[in-house]
């Protein structure tokens, strides 16, 4: 079975998570500089079968798009032009950063380790993906 990949897109860094081949478990893959994202994805898609890509949709508490929503929307358009065959699923990313930070605390990471914003992005992508997997099981 092909994998599902999740992207927590940011202007500077992008967190990436992926499922196992059975689409049961979401695992953090990496955090990369956003300006290298398309090249990273081309390489990854050449090596691994990917069925769909989840991309976080930044929203405010009231459900309205956040300030960064237009930047992410621009990326989604660019992504779809480069990978027209790839299924794109937009998912609500509200609270994922806070949940990621709490996960780091619960895991016993030191204060210095919790300041690693790249790790927060990767964990956020993992949380989005695991939520998607959980909500799409019958």
């Amino acid at each position: 079975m092909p994998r599902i990949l999740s992207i927590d897109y940011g202007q500077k860094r992008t967190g990436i998570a992926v499922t196992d081949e059975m689409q049961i478990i979401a695992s953090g893959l990496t955090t990369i500089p956003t300006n290298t994202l398309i090249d990273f994805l081309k390489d990854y898609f050449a090596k691994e079968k990917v069925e769909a890509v989840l991309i976080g949709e930044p929203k405010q508490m009231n459900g309205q798009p956040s300030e960064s929503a237009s930047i992410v929307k621009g990326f989604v358009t660019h992504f779809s032009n480069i990978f027209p065959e790839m299924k794109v699923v937009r998912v609500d990313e509200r609270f994922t950063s806070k949940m990621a930070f709490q996960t780091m605390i619960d895991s016993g990471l030191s204060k210095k380790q919790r300041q690693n914003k790249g790790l927060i992005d990767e964990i956020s992508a993992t949380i989005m993906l695991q939520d998607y997997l959980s909500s799409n099981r019958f």
Side-chain angles (χ1 to χ4, degrees):
M1 221 152 97
R3 298 173 189 271
I4 300 173
L5 188 124
S6 174
I7 296 175
D8 182 27
Y9 186 85
Q11 287 184 323
K12 295 178 183 177
R13 291 173 315 278
T14 296
I16 301 172
V18 68
T19 64
D20 61 320
E21 291 175 342
M22 299 299 294
Q23 296 183 4
I24 297 171
I25 299 170
S27 300
L29 184 61
T30 189
T31 300
I32 58 170
T34 297
N35 63 353
T36 66
L37 179 57
I38 294 298
D39 289 336
F40 175 88
L41 293 173
K42 285 178 182 177
D43 184 56
Y44 191 82
F45 294 160
K47 294 176 184 173
E48 297 286 344
K49 291 181 183 174
V50 176
E51 172 180 297
V53 174
L54 306 183
I55 301 175
E57 192 165 13
K59 294 182 180 182
Q60 297 175 14
M61 293 294 289
N62 64 5
Q64 294 297 313
S66 73
E67 292 177 20
S68 60
S70 63
I71 295 165
V72 177
K73 186 176 180 181
F75 167 72
V76 171
T77 301
H78 183 61
F79 176 91
S80 295
N81 288 335
I82 294 172
F83 305 105
E85 303 297 318
M86 186 61 66
K87 177 181 174 184
V88 174
V89 179
R90 300 300 307 274
V91 293
D92 189 346
E93 67 175 35
R94 281 181 290 185
F95 309 114
T96 57
S97 293
K98 289 180 181 167
M99 291 169 64
F101 190 75
Q102 187 61 50
T103 299
M104 293 169 79
I105 291 171
D106 295 345
S107 298
L109 295 180
S110 71
K111 188 173 184 178
K112 184 162 179 71
Q113 290 170 315
R114 292 192 307 260
Q115 292 172 346
N116 179 350
K117 293 183 180 177
L119 185 55
I120 292 172
D121 295 336
E122 185 177 325
I123 293 171
S124 293
T126 306
I127 290 169
M128 284 191 301
L129 185 51
Q130 192 64 56
D131 285 350
Y132 176 81
L133 292 174
S134 297
S135 67
N136 287 298
R137 298 219 192 281
F138 303 132

